[in-house]
Amino acid sequence: MKNYRLKPPQIIISAFLILLIGLSYILHMDLVVLMNESMVKLVMNGVLVLSLIPMLNVGAGMNFGLPVGIIGGLVGMCLAVNFRMTGFYGFFMAILFTLMICTLLGWIYGLILNRVKGREEIAGIFIGFSFIPLMNYFWTLAPFQNREMLYPIGGQGLRPKISLENYFNHILDNYGLISIGNIEIPVGLIVIFAIICLFLYLYFRTKIGRATIAVGENEAFAKLSGINISQTRLIAIIISTIIAGFGICIYAQSYGFIQLYDEPLSMAFPAVSAILIGGSTGKKTFIFEAILGTYLLQSMYLLSVPIANEILVPELTEILRTFITYGIILYALLVRERRGIYS
Amino acid sequence: MENILEIVNLNKSYNGIPALSNINLSVKAGEIHGIVGANGSGKTTLMNILFGNPIIRETGGYQGQISFRGNKVNFKNCAEAIRQGIGMVHQEFALIPDMTVGENIKLGRENTHSLTDRLFGRKYSFIDRKQDYENAGQTLRRLGISVDVGIKIINLSVNIRQFIEIAREIDRTDLKLLILDEPTAVLNKNDGLKLIEILKDMSDHKIGIIFISHRLEEVQYVCDKVSVLRDGKLVSQYAKGNIYVNNLAQDMIGHTINKAAAEKREMENKPVITFKDFSVKMPGEEVKNLNLSVYKGEILGLTSLSGHGKLALGYGMMDMYPVDGEVYFEDKKLVKMNARTNIIKGMYVLPDDRQGLGILADQSLESNIIFTGNQIKNMFIRDSAFNFLGFIDHRKTNLHVYKMMLDLDIKCTSIKQKVKELSGGNQQKVCIARALTVDPKLLFVAEPTRGIDISAKEKILNMLIEINRSRNTTIIIASSELDELKRVCDRIAVMVEGKIFKILSPDSSDVDFGLVLSGEEGVDCEKL
Ligand SMILES: Nc1ncnc2c1ncn2[C@@H]1O[C@H](COP(=O)(O)OP(=O)(O)OP(=O)(O)O)[C@@H](O)[C@H]1O
Ligand SMILES: [Mg+2]
């Protein structure tokens, strides 16, 4: 990390963030409350961002197919809710179901991506888009029983927004919450986040993890050294998918609802934006970069809402949010390192 | 003659470690200026500065003055240097792998259709591909090589790539100064001579040429002036007439060099590996129906003109290209080529394409050296309950890597330094260290001394002899350096058009080798 250099997206976002903090100060907003919330937002979105790392490091690019893992997580949670599993037990079971479903989905997803080597990103986008309508059928037709999940009228098909109020709403947010004056530290949430970071850190230090990085950096080298390229890629893609599944579970317990149908689609781009802001170049990415990017992006979202309301242009938030999310991705595509000295 | 290039008091350091100090140097129009120095002495760094390579700015820039054709310059990127008429042939190729030979040669100087020129301006005009390819073909023919200009670079062997990179530069009409960083390293003697004739021709046309090479004979033969670098300092300069290989070597290294030579011996003819009608479809370097037995414990040299297949044998064993035919290793037939199983069985391939296949540029020396041993043979794994996860035992690793660094004399700041920060020759040593770590029974080595300075070269050859003698490792060296093969090998097989043409004793005369290499029948070979 000693040669870490700030990149333009980070500078822009940081400058913007400072501007927002200045504004909120002038507008007499409660910065401490915002600080507390930013911590929650970091973990809520951060796991989804972390999930991109294994695929980036194996050389499969940005996982625009993030909806695949998210859907796995949604199914996992729906199962837990369906069986009326509540509290910690409920959350734990949701995670367990997610693990199983995402392993399967990730495996299939990986097999597909292995066949479109070099074009994973674009393939991921289309896999995401085509998986959604398929799942829409599933959500309406699957034989879930719990009435709290189904449409109130008719009793057929899942609601677009399933409340977790009676299940595992805020289960991690509230666990081990320490308050010092106004400052609240959600210890449970942070511990979970740290565990996932640690898992990733250790993964890249195992033998298979080192092979993963080698494949991402120089596939021909890895091949000559006897590494099984397809298998290494497959494992990385499965791990990415599983973490994405966990990510949506953690997101949902903070948010309080399971959001189905088209919702997973809207989650890939902010995650990609965040990791780009953190400094990823679409190749080897550090955990630190994912955390930094998420924090910057989410804090900016967070601050922009009350400020936009205060200065009476509430639409501004949404415009800004979309503009920044997509703008950063576009920027990254534009400057992405090209090879050859003449370019 | 006027100076076209003048360098005054040039200093450059990487992270506080000096790479060049107080360099003063000038080059005249039409002069061929040689630069020699051991691995890591700063040659490439100096050239990167002259060519405006961004790596220099990224690592903190340089101090000192450079004037080009009378004007002070400080290039911010290569494009600026190119615009001023400087060209560079890189030690590590700078070709675009996914583009064709023709496109690479004409990149930035494409012929365009005159109609669209008028409609959209030259910059956005349609490229006249036919004309481009024709020009490119002509330039390549001037270099005396025939290759389909429609092939993508990625499919070519390194020696052909080298010619293409050279062709890209000599195709330019606006060239004032040409920098060649070890252009002959990947070429055999004949091809090297071909290039040298072209350089002489260019110098007659008043183009200044900077020529870096580890082949001192070449330097003595072609250069008008030679500068010797040692540890980033300019230690001596000689003008034509006073250039002698011995002096250069002495100035570069600071001590005399003992040439490696293996003692001759009687071998038992027990094959360790036998190829029957073996073919490897490596584009530009195909092996076709090769039959060969390699004996246990021998060092076999494999040589051929470029493009005749000497490099492909090892790659075929590692499943890098499609293969055909039968191979018996230790009397067992290999059913399917698979790099992993073949490494476990005891084979290892040291590639000639260092950048593409030999190193993980962004990783440390340490990771590079232990990679294959660790991944395939489970070496350096920390003993614990989590053995199956394969965490590294750092103490064991450090010890081993440190020893390798000393044994091979790898010049680096620490074993944690990234390999891309090492000089070309030192990167090669890292590759060799990895092979030694795996400790194979059968070692395929392709061009082991390419880009290696004269002193380290002998160390590497000695090291190959040493592992052969002490560990009884069978070694197959594919190389175009006949002189080196003759000193270390027990037998030398000459390939012509993808087949073994003749097997010669290392004592055979150069004339015989010359004839056999070009496929002449009728040379008496001892029955080996
Ligand atoms: N990007 C870099 N970062 C740090 N150190 C570097 C970098 N590039 C080169 N060096 C160091 O600068 C020194 C000079 O390297 P350079 O590549 O110029 O050597 P060279 O004379 O071209 O050697 P060779 O004959 O092996 O090609 C070496 O010690 C090398 O480790
Ligand atoms: Mg060099």
Side-chain angles (χ1 to χ4, degrees), chain B residues 395-473:
Chain B
R395 214 177 52 86
K396 248 194 260 173
T397 309
N398 276 354
L399 230 61
H400 175 79
V401 174
Y402 202 71
K403 180 169 178 303
M404 281 291 163
M405 188 188 95
L406 294 180
D407 282 358
L408 292 177
D409 201 8
I410 302 175
K411 197 178 168 212
C412 57
T413 51
S414 88
I415 60 171
K416 303 272 184 221
Q417 194 177 9
K418 283 187 181 174
V419 167
K420 71 172 173 200
E421 295 176 358
L422 298 184
S423 76
N426 283 301
Q427 290 177 355
Q428 176 72 341
K429 294 183 195 168
V430 170
C431 298
I432 293 175
R434 182 170 54 246
L436 292 179
T437 307
V438 175
D439 190 17
K441 291 185 212 160
L442 172 61
L443 178 60
F444 290 87
V445 191
E447 306 287 4
T449 56
R450 174 181 293 168
I452 300 275
D453 71 50
I454 44 174
S455 146
K457 185 179 282 185
E458 301 306 324
K459 278 198 192 121
I460 284 166
L461 294 176
N462 269 324
M463 182 133 307
L464 289 174
I465 297 172
E466 148 79 17
I467 54 171
N468 169 263
R469 299 298 197 263
S470 65
R471 308 182 189 189
N472 206 24
T473 310

XYZ file of all heavy atoms in Angstrom, chain B residues 395-473:
625
model
N 9.027 -18.761 7.045
C 10.419 -18.937 7.439
C 11.152 -19.818 6.426
O 12.208 -19.472 5.921
C 10.488 -19.567 8.838
C 11.666 -19.092 9.680
C 11.606 -19.724 11.060
N 11.482 -21.174 10.950
C 12.526 -22.011 10.825
N 13.741 -21.537 10.816
N 12.334 -23.309 10.735
N 10.511 -20.940 6.115
C 11.092 -21.856 5.128
C 11.302 -21.130 3.798
O 12.335 -21.242 3.154
C 10.124 -23.034 4.906
C 10.650 -24.375 5.417
C 9.805 -25.505 4.867
C 8.773 -26.025 5.880
N 7.828 -26.998 5.336
N 10.253 -20.385 3.408
C 10.307 -19.687 2.127
C 11.449 -18.685 2.093
O 12.245 -18.656 1.154
C 8.985 -18.934 1.896
O 7.927 -19.843 2.095
C 8.917 -18.379 0.499
N 11.526 -17.860 3.136
C 12.573 -16.843 3.184
C 13.949 -17.449 3.031
O 14.774 -16.975 2.263
C 12.538 -16.101 4.527
C 11.523 -14.992 4.480
O 10.953 -14.736 3.415
N 11.279 -14.356 5.595
N 14.156 -18.512 3.785
C 15.452 -19.170 3.767
C 15.812 -19.611 2.362
O 16.903 -19.353 1.854
C 15.377 -20.393 4.690
C 16.473 -20.544 5.714
C 16.457 -19.353 6.659
C 16.254 -21.843 6.493
N 14.847 -20.271 1.737
C 15.091 -20.812 0.398
C 15.325 -19.690 -0.615
O 16.284 -19.713 -1.385
C 13.907 -21.664 -0.038
C 14.020 -22.158 -1.439
N 14.792 -23.230 -1.791
C 13.481 -21.698 -2.593
C 14.725 -23.421 -3.086
N 13.934 -22.492 -3.606
N 14.427 -18.711 -0.603
C 14.517 -17.646 -1.599
C 15.808 -16.851 -1.415
O 16.475 -16.473 -2.379
C 13.287 -16.723 -1.515
C 13.439 -15.544 -2.450
C 12.037 -17.497 -1.861
N 16.160 -16.647 -0.182
C 17.380 -15.900 0.100
C 18.602 -16.633 -0.453
O 19.484 -16.038 -1.068
C 17.516 -15.696 1.616
C 18.395 -14.533 1.950
C 17.967 -13.232 1.723
C 19.667 -14.732 2.471
C 18.783 -12.155 1.999
C 20.492 -13.664 2.752
C 20.050 -12.383 2.520
O 20.858 -11.326 2.783
N 18.569 -17.934 -0.262
C 19.681 -18.740 -0.774
C 19.739 -18.657 -2.302
O 20.808 -18.485 -2.892
C 19.504 -20.196 -0.314
C 20.599 -21.125 -0.793
C 20.504 -22.466 -0.069
C 21.555 -23.439 -0.573
N 21.482 -23.676 -2.019
N 18.585 -18.757 -2.932
C 18.520 -18.654 -4.391
C 19.075 -17.323 -4.867
O 19.804 -17.234 -5.840
C 17.061 -18.773 -4.856
C 16.568 -20.179 -4.884
S 17.406 -21.056 -6.202
C 17.106 -22.725 -5.763
N 18.683 -16.278 -4.135
C 19.120 -14.937 -4.512
C 20.643 -14.852 -4.485
O 21.257 -14.303 -5.390
C 18.505 -13.938 -3.539
C 18.704 -12.509 -3.901
S 18.142 -11.495 -2.536
C 19.669 -11.238 -1.676
N 21.238 -15.448 -3.466
C 22.697 -15.424 -3.372
C 23.337 -16.328 -4.412
O 24.259 -15.938 -5.115
C 23.143 -15.857 -1.975
C 22.750 -14.915 -0.833
C 23.248 -15.459 0.493
C 23.293 -13.516 -1.075
N 22.801 -17.554 -4.538
C 23.376 -18.517 -5.486
C 23.394 -17.972 -6.898
O 24.353 -18.138 -7.636
C 22.565 -19.819 -5.475
C 22.902 -20.678 -4.283
O 23.796 -20.261 -3.511
O 22.286 -21.744 -4.116
N 22.284 -17.364 -7.287
C 22.168 -16.906 -8.670
C 22.581 -15.446 -8.820
O 22.561 -14.906 -9.907
C 20.735 -17.077 -9.169
C 20.244 -18.505 -9.333
C 18.793 -18.512 -9.760
C 21.076 -19.229 -10.365
N 22.900 -14.830 -7.695
C 23.354 -13.458 -7.756
C 22.282 -12.545 -8.368
O 22.532 -11.795 -9.301
C 24.644 -13.394 -8.598
C 25.437 -12.147 -8.300
O 25.059 -11.447 -7.356
O 26.399 -11.876 -9.033
N 21.071 -12.656 -7.842
C 19.971 -11.841 -8.352
C 20.062 -10.455 -7.732
O 20.103 -10.309 -6.513
C 18.606 -12.469 -7.999
C 18.514 -13.874 -8.576
C 17.478 -11.595 -8.525
C 17.265 -14.637 -8.185
N 20.101 -9.448 -8.595
C 20.263 -8.080 -8.094
C 18.886 -7.492 -7.764
O 18.082 -7.231 -8.647
C 20.960 -7.231 -9.151
C 21.521 -5.948 -8.587
C 22.246 -5.128 -9.638
C 22.501 -3.747 -9.064
N 22.475 -2.710 -10.094
N 18.610 -7.288 -6.468
C 17.312 -6.755 -6.078
C 17.470 -6.040 -4.738
O 18.481 -6.194 -4.063
C 16.301 -7.883 -5.938
S 16.805 -9.147 -4.762
N 16.454 -5.251 -4.372
C 16.558 -4.546 -3.091
C 16.151 -5.454 -1.938
O 16.654 -5.328 -0.842
C 15.690 -3.281 -3.070
O 14.369 -3.638 -3.493
C 16.239 -2.228 -3.998
N 15.199 -6.358 -2.191
C 14.840 -7.352 -1.185
C 14.071 -8.458 -1.892
O 13.649 -8.287 -3.039
C 13.966 -6.735 -0.097
O 12.604 -6.802 -0.467
N 13.851 -9.564 -1.198
C 13.137 -10.650 -1.864
C 11.652 -10.326 -1.989
O 10.901 -11.079 -2.583
C 13.330 -12.003 -1.151
C 12.830 -11.955 0.285
C 14.779 -12.435 -1.200
C 12.816 -13.329 0.937
N 11.238 -9.218 -1.421
C 9.841 -8.809 -1.566
C 9.646 -7.852 -2.739
O 8.542 -7.410 -3.012
C 9.359 -8.086 -0.289
C 9.497 -8.901 0.969
C 8.261 -9.743 1.198
C 8.378 -10.469 2.524
N 7.888 -11.848 2.446
N 10.744 -7.501 -3.408
C 10.616 -6.563 -4.521
C 9.799 -7.188 -5.652
O 9.871 -8.387 -5.894
C 12.003 -6.175 -5.051
C 11.967 -4.969 -5.958
C 13.370 -4.544 -6.424
O 14.350 -5.238 -6.197
N 13.433 -3.404 -7.069
N 9.016 -6.338 -6.317
C 8.221 -6.856 -7.432
C 9.138 -7.211 -8.596
O 10.075 -6.479 -8.902
C 7.221 -5.805 -7.902
C 6.036 -5.682 -6.988
C 4.996 -4.760 -7.587
C 3.832 -4.638 -6.641
N 2.857 -3.659 -7.104
N 8.817 -8.309 -9.261
C 9.684 -8.782 -10.334
C 9.732 -7.795 -11.497
O 10.742 -7.671 -12.172
C 9.235 -10.184 -10.785
C 9.895 -10.572 -12.072
C 9.574 -11.192 -9.707
N 8.654 -7.044 -11.700
C 8.676 -6.109 -12.836
C 9.680 -4.983 -12.612
O 10.048 -4.290 -13.554
C 7.281 -5.554 -13.098
C 6.772 -4.593 -12.061
C 5.476 -3.957 -12.529
C 4.881 -3.125 -11.416
N 3.463 -2.870 -11.602
N 10.105 -4.810 -11.383
C 11.092 -3.770 -11.106
C 12.525 -4.246 -11.331
O 13.465 -3.483 -11.210
C 10.938 -3.258 -9.668
C 9.615 -2.567 -9.437
C 9.425 -2.151 -7.988
O 10.314 -2.430 -7.164
O 8.381 -1.560 -7.689
N 12.679 -5.526 -11.612
C 14.035 -6.034 -11.839
C 14.440 -5.800 -13.284
O 13.604 -5.662 -14.170
C 14.084 -7.536 -11.557
C 13.766 -7.987 -10.155
C 13.966 -9.493 -10.050
C 14.636 -7.282 -9.145
N 15.733 -5.778 -13.525
C 16.203 -5.672 -14.905
C 15.934 -6.994 -15.611
O 15.712 -8.022 -14.975
C 17.688 -5.359 -14.923
O 18.419 -6.515 -14.622
N 15.938 -6.929 -16.948
C 15.580 -8.105 -17.745
C 16.362 -9.349 -17.377
O 15.804 -10.431 -17.216
N 17.655 -9.193 -17.240
C 18.489 -10.344 -16.936
C 18.162 -10.946 -15.581
O 18.153 -12.166 -15.413
N 17.869 -10.087 -14.638
C 17.555 -10.590 -13.298
C 16.204 -11.296 -13.269
O 15.995 -12.217 -12.492
C 17.628 -9.461 -12.282
C 19.056 -9.126 -11.927
O 19.789 -9.975 -11.446
N 19.480 -7.908 -12.217
N 15.293 -10.864 -14.137
C 14.025 -11.580 -14.246
C 14.278 -13.004 -14.730
O 13.657 -13.954 -14.254
C 13.094 -10.871 -15.228
C 12.598 -9.546 -14.691
C 11.722 -8.802 -15.687
O 11.549 -9.236 -16.826
N 11.175 -7.693 -15.268
N 15.190 -13.150 -15.651
C 15.522 -14.483 -16.166
C 16.059 -15.363 -15.041
O 15.741 -16.538 -14.941
C 16.546 -14.355 -17.304
C 17.033 -15.655 -17.865
C 15.961 -16.358 -18.699
O 14.773 -16.067 -18.586
N 16.379 -17.301 -19.502
N 16.856 -14.756 -14.178
C 17.403 -15.544 -13.065
C 16.291 -16.003 -12.130
O 16.349 -17.095 -11.570
C 18.430 -14.716 -12.293
C 19.672 -14.405 -13.115
C 20.675 -13.652 -12.268
C 21.743 -13.002 -13.117
N 22.547 -12.058 -12.334
N 15.279 -15.170 -11.973
C 14.142 -15.568 -11.143
C 13.466 -16.804 -11.737
O 13.112 -17.739 -11.017
C 13.139 -14.396 -11.002
C 11.847 -14.858 -10.353
C 13.761 -13.266 -10.192
N 13.327 -16.814 -13.060
C 12.725 -17.990 -13.724
C 13.548 -19.243 -13.453
O 13.006 -20.309 -13.193
C 12.645 -17.785 -15.230
S 11.616 -16.423 -15.707
N 14.858 -19.088 -13.528
C 15.728 -20.243 -13.300
C 15.615 -20.709 -11.850
O 15.548 -21.907 -11.571
C 17.175 -19.898 -13.673
C 17.244 -19.690 -15.185
C 18.136 -21.005 -13.242
C 18.564 -19.225 -15.692
N 15.549 -19.760 -10.956
C 15.405 -20.119 -9.541
C 14.133 -20.925 -9.320
O 14.113 -21.865 -8.526
C 15.388 -18.867 -8.676
N 13.072 -20.576 -10.032
C 11.827 -21.328 -9.863
C 12.009 -22.765 -10.353
O 11.552 -23.712 -9.715
C 10.671 -20.657 -10.592
C 9.361 -21.393 -10.381
C 8.161 -20.639 -10.880
N 8.331 -20.255 -12.252
C 8.436 -19.015 -12.682
N 8.331 -18.021 -11.835
N 8.628 -18.746 -13.941
N 12.700 -22.928 -11.467
C 12.940 -24.273 -11.987
C 13.761 -25.086 -10.994
O 13.451 -26.239 -10.710
C 13.659 -24.198 -13.325
N 14.790 -24.473 -10.420
C 15.634 -25.192 -9.461
C 14.820 -25.603 -8.245
O 15.038 -26.651 -7.662
C 16.806 -24.305 -9.028
C 17.830 -24.003 -10.116
C 18.919 -23.093 -9.572
C 18.425 -25.290 -10.651
N 13.872 -24.753 -7.867
C 13.040 -25.045 -6.713
C 12.198 -26.295 -6.939
O 12.018 -27.101 -6.038
C 12.131 -23.844 -6.415
O 12.942 -22.683 -6.317
C 11.367 -24.035 -5.134
N 11.692 -26.433 -8.165
C 10.852 -27.592 -8.462
C 11.684 -28.878 -8.496
O 11.185 -29.961 -8.210
C 10.116 -27.379 -9.810
C 9.330 -28.603 -10.195
C 9.200 -26.182 -9.714
N 12.956 -28.745 -8.826
C 13.882 -29.873 -8.864
C 13.371 -31.034 -9.705
O 13.101 -32.122 -9.194
C 14.170 -30.352 -7.423
C 15.319 -31.353 -7.413
O 16.058 -31.407 -8.415
O 15.454 -32.082 -6.418
N 13.233 -30.805 -11.007
C 12.662 -31.843 -11.877
C 13.676 -32.922 -12.241
O 14.867 -32.754 -12.031
C 12.274 -31.046 -13.128
C 13.274 -29.936 -13.180
C 13.639 -29.611 -11.762
N 13.168 -34.034 -12.798
C 14.056 -35.067 -13.319
C 14.463 -34.731 -14.738
O 15.535 -35.082 -15.199
C 13.327 -36.416 -13.359
C 13.032 -37.006 -12.007
C 12.422 -38.389 -12.221
C 11.431 -38.696 -11.110
N 10.483 -39.731 -11.461
N 13.529 -34.110 -15.444
C 13.784 -33.740 -16.837
C 13.451 -32.262 -16.997
O 12.328 -31.840 -16.748
C 12.902 -34.578 -17.764
C 12.906 -34.177 -19.240
C 14.295 -34.303 -19.843
C 11.909 -35.016 -20.020
N 14.465 -31.515 -17.372
C 14.273 -30.066 -17.466
C 14.391 -29.621 -18.918
O 15.392 -29.885 -19.572
C 15.339 -29.373 -16.606
C 15.377 -27.853 -16.576
C 14.084 -27.290 -16.049
C 16.545 -27.384 -15.709
N 13.345 -29.008 -19.418
C 13.410 -28.378 -20.740
C 13.773 -26.926 -20.522
O 13.099 -26.232 -19.778
C 12.045 -28.403 -21.431
C 11.590 -29.758 -21.861
C 10.901 -30.574 -20.988
C 11.833 -30.213 -23.142
C 10.459 -31.823 -21.376
C 11.392 -31.464 -23.552
C 10.704 -32.275 -22.660
N 14.821 -26.479 -21.167
C 15.212 -25.080 -21.007
C 15.217 -24.442 -22.378
O 15.826 -24.976 -23.304
C 16.633 -24.964 -20.430
C 16.910 -23.546 -20.015
C 16.820 -25.899 -19.267
N 14.538 -23.316 -22.516
C 14.555 -22.634 -23.809
C 15.309 -21.327 -23.658
O 14.959 -20.499 -22.828
C 13.129 -22.390 -24.302
N 16.356 -21.175 -24.426
C 17.166 -19.954 -24.439
C 17.488 -19.433 -23.041
O 17.123 -18.317 -22.685
C 16.433 -18.862 -25.231
C 16.023 -19.245 -26.639
C 17.185 -19.324 -27.622
O 18.337 -19.146 -27.181
O 16.934 -19.585 -28.814
N 18.194 -20.225 -22.247
C 18.399 -19.842 -20.843
C 19.248 -18.591 -20.664
O 19.134 -17.918 -19.647
C 19.115 -21.054 -20.242
C 19.788 -21.710 -21.396
C 18.887 -21.478 -22.571
N 20.087 -18.282 -21.620
C 21.007 -17.155 -21.404
C 20.593 -15.917 -22.181
O 21.336 -14.959 -22.261
C 22.441 -17.537 -21.806
O 22.425 -17.969 -23.165
C 22.968 -18.642 -20.929
N 19.400 -15.964 -22.727
C 18.937 -14.798 -23.476
C 18.841 -13.583 -22.563
O 18.242 -13.614 -21.507
C 17.564 -15.092 -24.058
C 16.939 -13.899 -24.715
C 15.590 -14.238 -25.242
N 15.688 -15.179 -26.339
C 14.635 -15.826 -26.850
N 13.445 -15.630 -26.353
N 14.795 -16.645 -27.856
N 19.496 -12.512 -22.987
C 19.407 -11.274 -22.220
C 20.236 -11.276 -20.958
O 20.059 -10.433 -20.091
N 21.123 -12.242 -20.839
C 21.920 -12.361 -19.619
C 23.324 -11.837 -19.894
O 23.886 -12.094 -20.957
C 22.007 -13.844 -19.216
C 20.623 -14.403 -18.976
C 22.920 -14.044 -18.034
C 20.093 -14.167 -17.620
N 23.903 -11.123 -18.948
C 25.231 -10.562 -19.207
C 26.296 -11.652 -19.197
O 26.072 -12.769 -18.733
C 25.548 -9.404 -18.251
C 25.798 -9.868 -16.842
O 26.604 -10.793 -16.655
O 25.200 -9.301 -15.912
N 27.460 -11.309 -19.707
C 28.477 -12.324 -19.960
C 28.915 -13.065 -18.704
O 29.276 -14.231 -18.773
C 29.708 -11.719 -20.656
C 30.065 -10.402 -19.988
C 29.445 -11.528 -22.126
C 31.342 -9.799 -20.502
N 28.862 -12.388 -17.583
C 29.328 -13.055 -16.376
C 28.235 -13.962 -15.813
O 28.467 -15.131 -15.495
C 29.755 -11.993 -15.362
O 29.492 -12.389 -14.078
N 27.014 -13.437 -15.758
C 25.898 -14.227 -15.240
C 25.619 -15.409 -16.148
O 25.205 -16.476 -15.692
C 24.658 -13.360 -15.116
N 25.851 -15.220 -17.439
C 25.650 -16.293 -18.410
C 26.462 -17.523 -18.029
O 25.954 -18.635 -17.983
C 26.106 -15.760 -19.773
C 25.865 -16.679 -20.919
C 26.338 -16.038 -22.217
C 25.341 -15.020 -22.724
N 25.680 -14.453 -24.026
N 27.721 -17.305 -17.717
C 28.579 -18.431 -17.351
C 28.094 -19.051 -16.042
O 28.131 -20.263 -15.866
C 30.038 -17.991 -17.221
C 30.604 -17.379 -18.500
C 30.447 -18.280 -19.724
O 30.563 -19.509 -19.573
O 30.192 -17.749 -20.817
N 27.624 -18.186 -15.142
C 27.099 -18.720 -13.875
C 25.911 -19.628 -14.142
O 25.776 -20.683 -13.525
C 26.661 -17.565 -12.974
C 27.804 -16.956 -12.229
C 27.310 -16.138 -11.049
C 28.452 -15.315 -10.498
N 28.199 -13.888 -10.517
N 25.042 -19.199 -15.049
C 23.851 -19.996 -15.328
C 24.225 -21.307 -16.003
O 23.711 -22.373 -15.648
C 22.858 -19.177 -16.171
C 22.176 -18.164 -15.257
C 21.823 -20.063 -16.841
C 21.431 -17.096 -15.969
N 25.140 -21.237 -16.945
C 25.577 -22.482 -17.596
C 26.205 -23.409 -16.572
O 25.934 -24.613 -16.552
C 26.566 -22.167 -18.726
C 25.969 -21.400 -19.912
C 27.045 -21.050 -20.922
C 24.861 -22.203 -20.573
N 27.035 -22.851 -15.718
C 27.651 -23.674 -14.670
C 26.600 -24.299 -13.781
O 26.721 -25.444 -13.361
C 28.596 -22.825 -13.820
C 29.998 -22.858 -14.388
O 30.439 -23.888 -14.901
N 30.692 -21.734 -14.316
N 25.580 -23.502 -13.499
C 24.507 -24.004 -12.644
C 23.789 -25.170 -13.314
O 23.463 -26.163 -12.669
C 23.539 -22.861 -12.388
C 22.426 -23.244 -11.497
S 22.147 -22.048 -10.216
C 23.680 -21.835 -9.456
N 23.563 -25.074 -14.618
C 22.912 -26.179 -15.336
C 23.783 -27.424 -15.287
O 23.300 -28.532 -15.034
C 22.619 -25.776 -16.790
C 21.511 -24.738 -16.988
C 21.412 -24.309 -18.448
C 20.161 -25.277 -16.517
N 25.084 -27.248 -15.502
C 25.996 -28.390 -15.429
C 25.964 -28.973 -14.018
O 25.855 -30.193 -13.832
C 27.436 -27.960 -15.786
C 27.484 -27.457 -17.231
C 28.409 -29.120 -15.607
C 28.804 -26.822 -17.622
N 25.990 -28.097 -13.069
C 26.024 -28.517 -11.670
C 24.779 -29.327 -11.278
O 24.893 -30.388 -10.679
C 26.209 -27.254 -10.802
C 25.575 -27.249 -9.435
C 26.382 -28.031 -8.421
O 27.572 -28.289 -8.691
O 25.807 -28.394 -7.377
N 23.580 -28.847 -11.654
C 22.401 -29.647 -11.284
C 22.355 -30.952 -12.074
O 21.880 -31.957 -11.580
C 21.049 -28.907 -11.422
C 20.855 -28.330 -12.805
C 20.874 -27.845 -10.374
C 19.451 -27.797 -13.005
N 22.866 -30.919 -13.274
C 22.911 -32.148 -14.052
C 23.823 -33.168 -13.385
O 23.492 -34.340 -13.230
C 23.407 -31.847 -15.466
C 23.736 -33.105 -16.231
O 24.886 -33.506 -16.297
N 22.717 -33.732 -16.787
N 24.993 -32.696 -12.933
C 25.955 -33.633 -12.350
C 25.552 -34.061 -10.945
O 25.661 -35.224 -10.594
C 27.347 -33.008 -12.306
C 27.922 -32.631 -13.675
C 28.112 -33.854 -14.582
N 28.996 -33.573 -15.704
C 28.615 -33.243 -16.932
N 27.316 -33.170 -17.215
N 29.488 -32.987 -17.882
N 25.055 -33.130 -10.141
C 24.815 -33.493 -8.745
C 23.451 -34.143 -8.537
O 23.292 -35.004 -7.691
C 24.954 -32.261 -7.850
O 23.946 -31.345 -8.163
N 22.445 -33.718 -9.302
C 21.124 -34.300 -9.069
C 20.744 -35.288 -10.166
O 19.628 -35.793 -10.194
C 20.066 -33.197 -9.033
C 20.377 -32.070 -8.079
C 19.249 -31.080 -8.091
N 19.603 -29.863 -7.350
C 18.740 -28.923 -7.065
N 17.489 -29.027 -7.432
N 19.116 -27.851 -6.396
N 21.638 -35.471 -11.112
C 21.385 -36.353 -12.241
C 20.141 -35.933 -13.038
O 19.412 -36.758 -13.551
C 21.257 -37.802 -11.756
C 21.622 -38.767 -12.871
O 22.360 -38.384 -13.787
N 21.091 -39.979 -12.818
N 19.892 -34.642 -13.081
C 18.763 -34.131 -13.853
C 19.098 -34.187 -15.342
O 20.160 -33.731 -15.752
C 18.504 -32.657 -13.483
O 18.437 -32.561 -12.067
C 17.243 -32.137 -14.111
